Amino acid sequence: MVEITVLKRPRSEAVETQRKFFKKTARGKVIKVLRERYLRDDVSCGIKGCRECSTPDAEALPEQGDLNHPAFPKGHYILPDTNVFLAQMDLVESPLFNPPMILLQTVMEEVRHRSLPLYNRLKALSKMDEKKIWVFYNEYRSDTAVVRQPEETPNDRNDRGIRKATAWYNSHIKLTRPVVRGQAPPSIPKVVLLTEDAANRQKAESSGISTLSVRKYVESMSNSTQLLDLLASVSEEIEPTKASAGRQALYPEYLPTGTLMAGIKAGELHQGHFNANQYNYLEGSVAVPAFTKPILLIGRENMNRAVNGDIVVVEVFDEKEWKAPADEVIDQDSTLKNDDVEDSGDEGEDEDHQLTAAESKLSRSESRSSEKQPTGRIVGIIKRNWRAYVCHIDSTSLTSSNSTSLSQQTVFVTPVSRLLPRIRIRTRQAPSLIGQKILVTIDRWEVTSRYPEGHFVRALGKAESKEAEQESLLLEFEVPYRPFGKAILDCLPPQGDQWVVPPKSDTSPEWRGREDLRDLLICSIDPPGCQDIDDALHARRLPNGNIEAGVHIADVSHFVHPDTPMDSEAASRGTTVYLVDKRIDMLPALLGTNLCSLRPFVERLAFSAIWELTPEAEIVNVRFTKSVIASKAAFTYEEAQIRKDDPHQQDDLTASIRLLNSLALKLKAQRMAAGALNLASPEVKIHLDSAESSDPIDVEQKEMRETNSLVEEFMLLANISVAKKIEDTFPQTAVLRRHLPPPKTNFEKLQDILMKRKGLKLDVSSSGALAASLDLCLDPSEPAFNTLVRIMATRCMLSAEYFCSGSVGKDTFGHYGLASPIYTHFTSPIRRYADVLAHRQLSAAIGYTPLHPSLHSKSHVDRVLDVVNRRHRMAQMASRASVEFYVGLALKARNEKEQKTLEASGAGNKSKQAAVTEDAFVIRVFKNGVGVFVSKLGIEGLVMFKQETQFDADNYTITIPSADGNATISVFDKVTVRIEVEKDKNTQRGKVKMTLVKPIDSTNL
Amino acid sequence: MASRVEIINQGGFRSDGRRQFELRNIEIDLSQQGQADGSASVSHGLTQVIVSVFGPREAKIRSHTFHDRANLNVEVSVAAFSTGDRRKRSRGDKRLLEFAATVKSTFEPVVQTNLYPRSQIDIFIHVMQQDGGLLQAGINATTLALMNAGIPMVDFVCAITSGVHSTSPLLDLTTLEENDVPNMTLAMMPKTQKISLVTMETRLHVDRFSEIVKLATQAGLAIHREMKVAIIGRAKVLTESLESGNRQSGSGMEVEEKYE
C-alpha cells in the first residue's frame, strides 16, 4: 500500500505559502482567491550523482554538464528564461541545440499563460529522449520559492524567482561537491542564465550569476552557423508579460440602425450579403447593385465581425484607397496556430506580422490599377445569418486533454467550411470531443473579442466516419433530413403500395378526363439504379408523314394536393438531395419510388405532353393531357444506347428510340444554332464496393452518351412548351425558370488569362458568340483543355433561378445557357417542387382542375420559389461536397492499396510513400501557391510553396526556384500532382493535400 | 475558472506542491467555544469548519421526539466570506440541507443515541473557509465535537475526499481539483474499518472504484491518527485542569468568601 502522509505547514510559514489575489470574472465580478502551497525539500535538482537529491539516472542531466562550449570549459548547464521560449522556440526545438537544460517551473507556467500551443510544444520537448532537459519545480522547493513583494509586478517576481533558482543551483552544485582533502578539487560546472532581457541580465550579474543572451551563447557554440539561422530576429528587448490590461476594442462599433437606414436610402451606404474569401481569411467581399464589381473588404477590422452569409451594410472608401484583392493564400489554421484562446483581447504578434505582410503585398499590387476594386468597410449588420456550424475542436487550444477532466475550458473550434472564422466555446467535455465532428452555434461577437463566441450543440460522431460526415453535410447545407412525420404519411393513399390504377370506367375518379395511352410503346431511360423514374418517352410515325413524340411525366399532382401537410413539407424541402450513398427525398418514398415512379410493366398516371413534329423536328402542334400509361421498358442510358446501335434489334421499341434520337439530334442542332451554350462541369462517378458497406473503390468521370442527350432534348422541349402554355394562361403567376446573362465583367479575368497565356479570344457579347468562341478554344496537344475552359467559363456565369412571371420584367425571362426565351421545370415533379407547381398550373391551363387560390397569389409563389431556389443551391453544394468526401475516401483507399503493393514488392524502399499521382491543370496562381484542377477526379486543390517564389500577377505565372533550375508555372499549364489525404493533427479533419511532382517536385518547398 | 492549472504536472506535483498521496495540513482545536457542550474547529488546508454540539437535551418539538433514542439535529451555516465571491446562502439552501442530511445519516449509526431516549443532540456546523473537501472537514469536526461533548460513540468517523486524474488517484482535493476531477467523499470507522458513507456527485469509472475506496480507507486511518492525538491532548488538558481545580478548590472558596 502506498504511504499516506499528512503535510505539516506551520502557521508561521503562511506568508510564504499562502497567496491571495483578486480576479475579475467574465461578468465583471471581482473574486478573491486564496491559494496555499506546500514547500518541500525533496524537489530534485536533476543532476546525476548529486549527493542530496535522488534522480532516476535515465532522466538526469550529466554530472559535468556540457563541456563543449568554449566559454565554460568546466562544464555548464543552461537555464533559459521565459522569453527565450516565447521567441526562440525553433532554436530550442532544433536537434542541433542540445546543451543540458534546466527548465524552471516558473518559466513553464509563464509560457503557459502566454501561449498554450507554445506550452504544449515545450512540454513535448521536455519529454523527448534526445533532449537533456530537467524540469525543476523551483516554486515548491523551500530554498527557491519566492513571494511577490508589494509593488512588484508579476513579471519582476518571476524574473527574481528565476535568478534565485539559478543562484541556488550554483551553490547547490558547489555544496554537494565539497573539496576532499588529498584529492584534486572537483570541477564545478556552471549554471548559465539565458535571457534576452538586458535589465534582468544586469541584475543577475550584480548578484554574481553568469548570464548570456541567446545570440551570444549560440554564436560561440561549435555549430553556430546552422543554429544562428534559427534565431528569430527579435530585438534585445521583448515587451514584458502583459499584465491583464483592460480589454480594448478590436473592432469598430456598428452604426445605429437609423443611421444605416438613412445611409442606404441616401446611397452613401450599401447593403449586401457578405462573402468570405475561401483562400484568404483576411479578405471578403460584398456584391452590391451600385458597383459592377463586388466591394472588397480587406483585413479583420474592415470585415468588422461579419460572418459569411450575413446581410451587411458597407461604406465604400474614397477611390484613391481602392485596392486589388491579394493574390495570396492565407490560411487561418496555419497562421493563427499559436493563438491563445483566452487572451482574445490582445492582438497576437504572429498575426500582426501576417497582417502587415499581407497588407504590404497588397500595397505592392496597387500599381495594377485595372484590377482595382471598390474597397470599403462594414459599418453595420442588417441581419445575422448565423446557424449551427459543423466544427472540429482544435486540440492545441485545450488546457487539459485528460479524458477524466471535468473542468470547464475555453477552446477553439474550427468550422469545416473555410469561409468561417474560428469560434470560441466553453465546454466541460472538450477532451471527449477531440476527433469528433460537433455542431456549434455562434452566440455573439463582441468588439473586444477577436473571435466569435458560441456554444456546443451536440456531437455528430467520429470525424471521417460515414454517418457523421453525412449528417454534417446535411446540417452544413441545411438540408432537412428528418423522416416524414405521421401527418405527412397520412396524406398518402390508404392502399399503400397496393395502390393500382383502377380498371377503366367512366365513374372512376382516376380515369376522369384521362387519355388511355396504355397501348403506346413508352419507355424510360435513366441513369443506372434510378428508382424515382419521373419521365418516359415515346415516338411513332403518323400517317401524314409527321412524327408524334410524347413525353410522359409522373402525375405527382394527382397525389400531392395543395394545402396538405405533405404539400407544405415538400415545399419546404424544395428538392430531393442526392448524396453519393443516400438520397434525401422530397416526397415520401412510397410516392417517389413506387406510386408516381413510371416503372415498367405497370399502369401509372401521367401528365403527357404530345407533339406533332415534322421529320425536320419542327413543331406542328402540341397538346397536354392527363393520361394513363404503361411503360414497356426501363432502360439505362447504356442499355438504350446499345439497343439503338445494335443493327439486329428491329423491334418497334428500338425503332421508336431511333426515331426519338433522330429528332433529338435535330432539336439539338436547332438549339445550338440559336446560341445555346455547351457548358461543362466536373462530374465524376463514385464506384461503391457494395450496397451495404458502401466503401468507395474508385472514381471515374461520368460518361456522356447519345441517349443522355436524347432524354435531355425532349425534356427541354417539354419544359419550353409547358412554360409557354402556363405563361400564356397565367401571365402573373406562372412558375418559370430563367438564367440571366452574366455581366461582362465576370469574364474579364478569364478573357485576360486566355489572351495572355494562349492568345485566344473569348467573345462574350452574347450566348451564341460565347458558344462559338468556346468551340475555338482548342489546344491541339491537349484535348482536355477545351473542357477546362468551359468549366471556368461556367463559373463566371450566374446561376439559374425560379421566378414568378409577374414579378420581373418580361424582357428578363430568357434562359441564357439554353438560349430559350422562356423556360420552366416540368419534367421532374418527384424530386423538384417547382415542377409540382408547374404541373398544377398546366393542369388548370388545360381545364382539368381549377387552379388553387394560392397559385393565383404572386407573393405566395414568390415566397415558395425563394425557398425552392435556396434549397436547390444548397442541395447542389451538398451533393458536390458528398462527392468530394467520397473522392477523398477513394483516394485514401487507393493510396493504401498502392502502399500494400509497394510493401509487397520489396521492403527496400520504405521511405518512398505511395501516393496517387494525377495530371492536373493550373487554374489559378497565387503568390505562394497554385490552384489546380484534377479533371479525372473532379476535384480542385491547392499546392502551397513555403519557399520564396517569383510571382508575376500580370502574366499569371509563378517561378519557383529549385536546385535543378527554376520552374515557371502558369495558368493552364499541365502539371502532375501527388494527392494525399492527410489528417490535420489538431482537428483530426481529413484534408486533401496536393504536392507538385512535375515540372518540379515541391515536396520540400 | 482557473483552467490554467495542471492537476498533476510532469514532476508528479499537484497545483499546491503536494504529491498524490499527501494530505493537506490538518489543524484541530478542541477548546471550549461559547455555551456549547462540545466543540471542535478543524481545518484541512484552507478549509475550515467549526462544529458546536449541544446536548443531549430535552427534545422541544414533539415530532422530533423518539421514545427509544435521541434525535440528531444537524444544521449547517456557511459564512458569506468563506468563498472567493461573497455570497449569502439562505438556510433553506437545498445543498446545505443535503449536506446536513448526509452528516446526520453518517452519525446516526455511530452515536449511541439509544442511551438518551426522548432527547435531542444539536450539531451546528459553521463553515468558515472553503477550499474543497467541505464534507470531509464537516464530518471530522463533528466527530471531534461529539467526543468533546462527551457523547458516547461506537467509533471515530474519519472522512476523506479522493479523486482520480487520468489513472492516478489523488487524496484530499482542493476546490481546484474538485472542479476538475471525478471525486468521492468516504467516511470510515477506523476500529472496524467499516465505511459509513460514500458519496459522489461526479461519475467515476467503475474500474477505479475499488482502488479508490481502499486508498481512501488508508487515508482515513492517517486522519484518525491526527484526530486521536488531538483528543488525547485535549483530554490531558482537561484532566490536568480538573486536578489543579481540585487542589485549588479550597482557596477558591476563600476567594468567594472574601468577596462576600
Side-chain angles (χ1 to χ4, degrees):
Chain A
M1 206 60 211
V2 289
E3 196 194 345
I4 294 166
T5 49
V6 179
L7 292 188
K8 285 291 171 193
R9 182 170 60 78
R11 276 256 157 99
S12 56
E13 263 187 20
V15 182
E16 265 174 65
T17 55
Q18 289 192 8
R19 196 155 56 97
K20 185 178 77 178
F21 57 92
F22 294 91
K23 80 179 181 192
K24 202 172 156 192
T25 61
R27 289 215 183 109
K29 209 172 173 186
V30 175
I31 288 181
K32 185 174 79 177
V33 184
L34 187 63
R35 296 263 167 77
E36 63 171 351
R37 62 177 174 186
Y38 289 86
L39 300 182
R40 47 206 312 152
D41 295 321
D42 62 349
V43 179
S44 170
C45 71
I47 295 172
K48 199 189 252 175
C50 177
R51 293 201 310 181
E52 288 186 359
C53 316
S54 59
T55 315
D57 267 4
E59 295 162 30
L61 300 177
E63 201 173 340
Q64 278 309 316
D66 181 39
L67 296 164
N68 297 328
H69 201 281
F72 309 100
K74 286 185 171 173
H76 75 293
Y77 306 94
I78 59 166
L79 194 152
D81 81 346
T82 315
N83 288 334
V84 173
F85 292 107
L86 291 179
Q88 310 287 9
M89 200 59 180
D90 291 335
L91 171 80
V92 181
E93 275 178 344
S94 157
L96 297 170
F97 186 81
N98 52 4
M101 194 190 299
I102 296 157
L103 183 54
L104 294 185
Q105 179 191 11
T106 314
V107 172
M108 294 226 10
E109 275 169 13
E110 226 180 336
V111 171
R112 189 176 167 126
H113 278 274
R114 289 293 292 274
S115 160
L116 251 185
L118 272 180
Y119 171 75
N120 286 334
R121 273 161 81 181
L122 183 58
K123 217 163 103 179
L125 197 67
S126 66
K127 279 188 203 140
M128 263 178 10
D129 290 339
E130 303 90 82
K131 291 275 177 188
K132 289 170 279 183
I133 296 181
W134 176 257
V135 182
F136 180 62
Y137 290 91
N138 60 320
E139 302 278 0
Y140 297 147
R141 178 146 187 144
S142 48
D143 306 309
T144 51
V146 288
V147 182
R148 187 174 153 197
Q149 303 295 328
E151 308 293 308
E152 197 177 31
T153 65
N155 198 39
D156 287 343
R157 187 211 89 107
N158 289 340
D159 284 349
R160 190 158 57 80
I162 294 168
R163 289 199 301 274
K164 191 170 181 184
T166 321
W168 175 83
Y169 251 104
N170 279 322
S171 62
H172 178 77
I173 294 173
K174 213 173 275 169
L175 277 178
T176 52
R177 298 178 197 184
V179 186
V180 181
R181 192 174 300 174
Q183 283 177 22
S187 74
I188 309 288
K190 264 190 180 152
V191 175
V192 184
L193 175 64
L194 288 192
T195 174
E196 304 281 57
D197 183 346
N200 195 9
R201 274 207 301 275
Q202 211 171 13
K203 279 185 193 153
E205 268 158 16
S206 65
S207 53
I209 301 167
S210 46
T211 168
L212 279 177
S213 74
V214 178
R215 179 165 288 275
K216 284 237 178 68
Y217 178 81
V218 174
E219 269 171 359
S220 44
M221 279 174 83
S222 48
N223 48 3
S224 62
T225 42
Q226 289 140 300
L227 288 175
L228 277 173
D229 288 349
L230 293 168
L231 270 182
S233 56
V234 259
S235 56
E236 277 284 281
E237 285 301 314
I238 296 191
E239 97 274 32
T241 316
K242 275 172 243 164
S244 48
R247 289 191 169 180
Q248 82 231 51
L250 294 167
Y251 299 101
E253 291 279 359
Y254 295 133
L255 298 179
T257 325
T259 321
L260 294 179
M261 288 306 164
I264 294 168
K265 225 171 196 174
E268 287 158 5
L269 302 177
H270 305 276
Q271 180 182 336
H273 281 275
F274 175 72
N275 292 312
N277 184 331
Q278 61 163 328
Y279 294 115
N280 181 346
Y281 76 102
L282 292 172
E283 230 178 72
S285 61
V286 177
V288 296
F291 295 96
T292 47
K293 282 187 175 176
I295 300 173
L296 188 67
L297 307 162
I298 300 167
R300 229 184 251 286
E301 235 163 80
N302 290 334
M303 299 203 294
N304 201 359
R305 295 171 279 152
V307 175
N308 195 44
D310 288 351
I311 300 175
V312 298
V313 178
V314 195
E315 177 192 62
V316 178
F317 295 146
D318 227 22
E319 207 168 332
K320 283 194 296 269
E321 290 173 51
W322 287 13
K323 286 172 180 165
D327 292 301
E328 194 177 19
V329 182
I330 303 181
D331 186 19
Q332 113 165 303
D333 294 355
S334 52
T335 316
L336 302 180
K337 68 170 191 258
N338 281 348
D339 215 13
D340 210 332
V341 209
E342 278 181 6
D343 52 58
S344 62
D346 319 314
E347 283 281 312
E349 291 155 44
D350 268 6
E351 203 218 348
D352 269 347
H353 182 70
Q354 274 290 338
L355 249 172
T356 36
E359 266 160 15
S360 70
K361 266 162 207 156
L362 273 175
S363 51
R364 226 178 299 156
S365 60
E366 261 176 65
S367 53
R368 295 179 292 145
S369 54
S370 64
E371 301 265 321
K372 268 190 192 174
Q373 247 170 279
T375 307
R377 67 187 180 97
I378 290 178
V379 291
I381 302 245
I382 300 285
K383 187 170 167 269
R384 290 288 194 189
N385 258 336
W386 291 348
R387 54 182 172 93
Y389 300 106
V390 180
C391 304
H392 299 266
I393 280 206
D394 187 345
S395 64
T396 54
S397 68
L398 255 63
T399 40
S400 153
S401 52
N402 200 296
S403 57
T404 57
S405 177
L406 302 168
S407 63
Q408 188 151 51
Q409 306 191 27
T410 308
V411 296
F412 274 136
V413 293
T414 316
V416 172
S417 158
R418 288 174 60 102
L419 300 170
L420 300 166
R422 291 202 282 189
I423 305 168
R424 192 166 44 206
I425 63 166
R426 283 166 76 73
T427 170
R428 283 191 182 276
Q429 42 181 331
S432 57
L433 296 177
I434 292 180
Q436 293 217 44
K437 292 210 143 187
I438 61 171
L439 209 56
V440 168
T441 49
I442 301 183
D443 299 325
R444 61 179 171 277
W445 197 341
E446 310 278 349
V447 278
T448 52
S449 157
R450 196 177 326 151
Y451 300 101
E453 276 167 51
H455 67 266
F456 167 74
V457 180
R458 68 189 171 96
L460 302 175
K462 223 172 134 18
E464 299 217 315
S465 75
K466 280 197 204 81
E467 297 72 32
E469 292 291 343
Q470 200 175 69
E471 201 181 347
S472 73
L473 257 179
L474 296 174
L475 286 165
E476 191 61 19
F477 296 104
E478 297 169 77
V479 177
Y481 60 97
R482 276 189 311 197
F484 291 97
K486 184 168 180 305
I488 297 158
L489 296 177
D490 281 347
C491 302
L492 295 172
Q495 299 92 331
D497 55 0
Q498 302 298 313
W499 183 92
V500 286
V501 179
K504 187 172 180 178
S505 76
D506 292 340
T507 53
S508 147
E510 272 85 1
W511 279 92
R512 182 184 64 85
R514 281 188 192 271
E515 252 180 74
D516 185 358
L517 302 179
R518 286 178 294 178
D519 304 331
L520 288 180
L521 283 175
I522 294 171
C523 68
S524 61
I525 307 177
D526 285 286
C530 179
Q531 287 177 304
D532 43 358
I533 305 170
D534 38 23
D535 50 75
L537 301 151
H538 88 275
R540 61 176 177 187
R541 288 190 190 281
L542 292 175
N544 64 1
N546 284 347
I547 303 162
E548 179 193 89
V551 168
H552 313 273
I553 307 296
D555 191 7
V556 173
S557 58
H558 178 84
F559 296 96
V560 183
H561 300 288
D563 271 352
T564 58
M566 184 152 70
D567 182 56
S568 45
E569 177 69 17
S572 76
R573 293 193 177 213
T575 172
T576 294
V577 182
Y578 294 87
L579 304 184
V580 171
D581 54 347
K582 194 181 166 86
R583 193 184 66 226
I584 316 292
D585 287 323
M586 179 181 87
L587 293 171
L590 176 66
L591 286 188
T593 60
N594 191 352
L595 302 193
C596 287
S597 179
L598 303 179
R599 298 201 289 187
F601 323 121
V602 283
E603 292 176 8
R604 287 285 177 246
L605 302 181
F607 207 153
S608 305
I610 297 163
W611 298 267
E612 187 179 336
L613 299 162
T614 62
E616 289 317 303
E618 306 284 347
I619 300 174
V620 179
N621 64 47
V622 57
R623 64 192 174 92
F624 307 99
T625 175
K626 294 258 183 171
S627 60
V628 177
I629 61 159
S631 171
K632 301 291 175 288
F635 297 116
T636 64
Y637 290 123
E638 196 177 0
E639 282 165 7
Q641 184 73 37
I642 291 167
R643 202 172 172 114
K644 181 188 81 70
D645 292 341
D646 185 356
H648 301 296
Q649 298 270 9
Q650 285 303 340
D651 54 307
D652 289 346
L653 197 55
T654 317
S656 97
I657 294 176
R658 287 188 190 130
L659 197 55
L660 284 167
N661 191 49
S662 67
L663 287 171
L665 289 175
K666 284 163 196 154
L667 284 170
K668 186 167 186 178
Q670 283 171 16
R671 229 163 35 81
M672 288 302 160
L677 290 172
N678 187 4
L679 300 174
S681 60
E683 279 197 85
V684 291
K685 199 170 104 184
I686 312 276
H687 285 280
L688 297 180
D689 191 6
S690 67
E692 293 95 51
S693 74
S694 68
D695 284 326
I697 295 292
D698 215 342
V699 189
E700 72 169 6
Q701 265 170 294
K702 264 189 193 163
E703 236 180 291
M704 288 302 273
R705 292 194 174 77
E706 224 177 351
T707 42
N708 290 53
S709 152
L710 182 164
V711 175
E712 194 189 334
E713 286 309 323
F714 276 97
M715 294 307 130
L716 291 176
L717 190 64
N719 286 335
I720 293 169
S721 304
V722 170
K724 278 182 194 147
K725 176 83 183 169
I726 58 177
E727 204 269 333
D728 230 28
T729 327
F730 307 107
Q732 281 304 301
T733 57
V735 173
L736 300 178
R737 189 171 171 83
R738 65 171 175 178
H739 185 201
L740 290 173
K744 304 244 173 334
T745 48
N746 282 13
F747 288 104
E748 273 171 13
K749 184 136 191 183
L750 179 63
Q751 281 174 313
D752 193 44
I753 298 175
L754 273 174
M755 191 66 225
K756 280 182 175 146
R757 296 311 319 159
K758 296 278 180 185
L760 292 168
K761 257 205 191 116
L762 205 58
D763 184 357
V764 295
S765 52
S766 72
S767 62
L770 179 61
S773 56
L774 275 177
D775 288 339
L776 293 175
C777 283
L778 292 172
D779 185 342
S781 60
E782 199 45 74
F785 172 71
N786 186 262
T787 320
L788 182 72
V789 176
R790 281 182 202 276
I791 290 171
M792 289 171 79
T794 311
R795 286 186 186 175
C796 298
M797 292 181 201
L798 305 171
S799 50
E801 58 176 8
Y802 299 107
F803 68 102
C804 174
S805 59
S807 304
V808 301
K810 204 158 178 181
D811 52 333
T812 61
F813 279 14
H815 196 292
Y816 179 79
L818 299 172
S820 163
I822 190 165
Y823 191 65
T824 191
H825 267 167
F826 169 76
T827 50
S828 302
I830 296 179
R831 56 189 177 88
R832 293 190 304 231
Y833 189 70
D835 301 50
V836 178
L837 295 180
H839 272 236
R840 287 189 191 143
Q841 289 184 336
L842 185 66
S843 161
I846 59 169
Y848 184 79
T849 47
L851 190 63
H852 189 264
S854 65
L855 283 178
H856 280 307
S857 149
K858 208 158 73 176
S859 62
H860 177 265
V861 174
D862 268 337
R863 211 165 43 239
V864 172
L865 290 183
D866 264 354
V867 176
V868 175
N869 275 328
R870 201 167 63 86
R871 292 281 184 227
H872 192 81
R873 217 166 35 238
M874 289 299 191
Q876 277 181 334
M877 290 198 269
S879 33
R880 224 174 289 152
S882 171
V883 169
E884 236 164 73
F885 169 65
Y886 271 92
V887 169
L889 279 188
L891 280 177
K892 215 162 122 189
R894 219 196 273 181
N895 273 346
E896 271 161 23
K897 214 168 87 191
E898 275 177 37
Q899 186 79 48
K900 254 181 227 156
T901 50
L902 201 75
E903 269 163 31
S905 66
N909 45 5
K910 270 233 175 80
S911 60
K912 208 176 137 199
Q913 263 270 318
V916 176
T917 53
E918 289 286 357
D919 285 346
F921 283 103
V922 177
I923 53 169
R924 257 186 103 159
V925 178
F926 296 98
K927 188 140 187 63
N928 54 352
V930 291
V932 295
F933 174 72
V934 184
S935 57
K936 210 164 158 197
L937 302 173
I939 53 170
E940 256 185 78
L942 268 178
V943 180
M944 303 273 286
F945 309 118
K946 286 191 207 95
Q947 226 176 48
E948 201 56 30
T949 55
Q950 284 169 355
F951 173 61
D952 184 352
D954 286 335
N955 289 318
Y956 308 100
T957 60
I958 185 169
T959 306
I960 307 136
S962 73
D964 29 291
N966 292 354
T968 303
I969 298 173
S970 49
V971 175
F972 293 133
D973 278 4
K974 193 175 178 179
V975 294
T976 309
V977 290
R978 183 183 314 116
I979 306 162
E980 288 155 294
V981 179
E982 74 168 12
K983 254 191 188 171
D984 189 295
K985 264 184 242 132
N986 286 341
T987 57
Q988 297 294 305
R989 160 173 61 165
K991 260 203 308 206
V992 172
K993 187 192 160 198
M994 297 196 184
T995 40
L996 275 188
V997 180
K998 253 196 313 199
I1000 55 159
D1001 198 323
S1002 74
T1003 320
N1004 300 318
L1005 293 180
Chain B
M1 313 289 145
S3 58
R4 286 290 160 108
V5 177
E6 280 177 300
I7 299 302
I8 300 187
N9 62 27
Q10 277 172 272
F13 294 107
R14 290 154 70 173
S15 58
D16 56 2
R18 284 182 292 155
R19 290 184 185 277
Q20 267 174 290
F21 305 121
E22 290 172 344
L23 311 185
R24 287 180 287 177
N25 183 34
I26 300 178
E27 270 177 41
I28 299 171
D29 177 15
L30 297 175
S31 51
Q32 176 79 31
Q33 278 166 3
Q35 294 293 310
D37 293 313
S39 57
S41 155
V42 170
S43 62
H44 292 273
L46 294 178
T47 301
Q48 192 184 17
V49 170
I50 296 175
V51 176
S52 306
V53 171
F54 293 85
R57 57 191 182 185
E58 189 187 345
K60 291 273 159 50
I61 311 165
R62 289 223 46 191
S63 60
H64 288 178
T65 316
F66 302 108
H67 69 91
D68 58 341
R69 60 186 167 96
N71 177 38
L72 288 185
N73 173 39
V74 182
E75 281 178 31
V76 183
S77 65
V78 178
F81 51 79
S82 67
T83 46
D85 57 334
R86 213 181 162 81
R87 177 167 59 152
K88 192 136 178 80
R89 292 215 196 208
S90 67
R91 285 167 69 84
D93 190 323
K94 284 283 187 293
R95 283 190 73 87
L96 292 188
L97 291 180
E98 196 194 349
F99 185 88
T102 315
V103 174
K104 182 179 173 175
S105 60
T106 312
F107 281 96
E108 260 169 354
V110 186
V111 176
Q112 300 189 347
T113 48
N114 53 341
L115 296 177
Y116 309 106
R118 309 187 66 77
S119 51
Q120 78 173 20
I121 298 169
D122 290 308
I123 300 170
F124 298 115
I125 302 177
H126 305 280
V127 179
M128 310 308 289
Q129 211 177 1
Q130 294 188 50
D131 186 24
L134 190 57
L135 185 58
Q136 134 193 356
I139 289 175
N140 291 341
T142 306
T143 307
L144 292 169
L146 285 168
M147 287 185 167
N148 209 4
I151 293 167
M153 285 165 53
V154 177
D155 199 349
F156 280 77
V157 182
C158 307
I160 183 80
T161 47
S162 50
V164 191
H165 178 254
S166 182
T167 55
S168 17
L170 305 174
L171 286 172
D172 197 3
L173 311 178
T174 62
T175 305
L176 209 81
E177 291 164 335
E178 258 180 4
N179 286 340
D180 190 277
V181 156
N183 59 71
M184 67 159 199
T185 301
L186 176 139
M188 52 86 69
M189 292 182 276
K191 213 191 289 170
T192 52
Q193 302 221 355
K194 274 187 183 162
I195 291 166
S196 59
L197 167 85
V198 175
T199 174
M200 288 195 267
E201 283 175 5
T202 45
R203 286 195 294 181
L204 182 64
H205 199 281
V206 68
D207 293 351
R208 300 262 156 246
F209 188 72
S210 66
E211 185 190 343
I212 298 293
V213 168
K214 268 187 209 142
L215 183 74
T217 316
Q218 293 295 311
L221 292 176
I223 287 180
H224 173 238
R225 282 194 289 276
E226 297 285 321
M227 287 163 76
K228 208 165 150 188
V229 168
I231 281 287
I232 290 173
R234 176 66 182 163
K236 210 179 258 168
V237 170
L238 286 177
T239 46
E240 271 169 15
S241 60
L242 201 64
E243 275 162 21
S244 67
N246 282 341
R247 248 182 280 127
Q248 285 172 5
S249 61
S251 57
M253 297 278 272
E254 279 160 26
V255 173
E256 271 171 36
E257 275 168 7
K258 227 183 243 173
Y259 276 100
E260 279 176 14

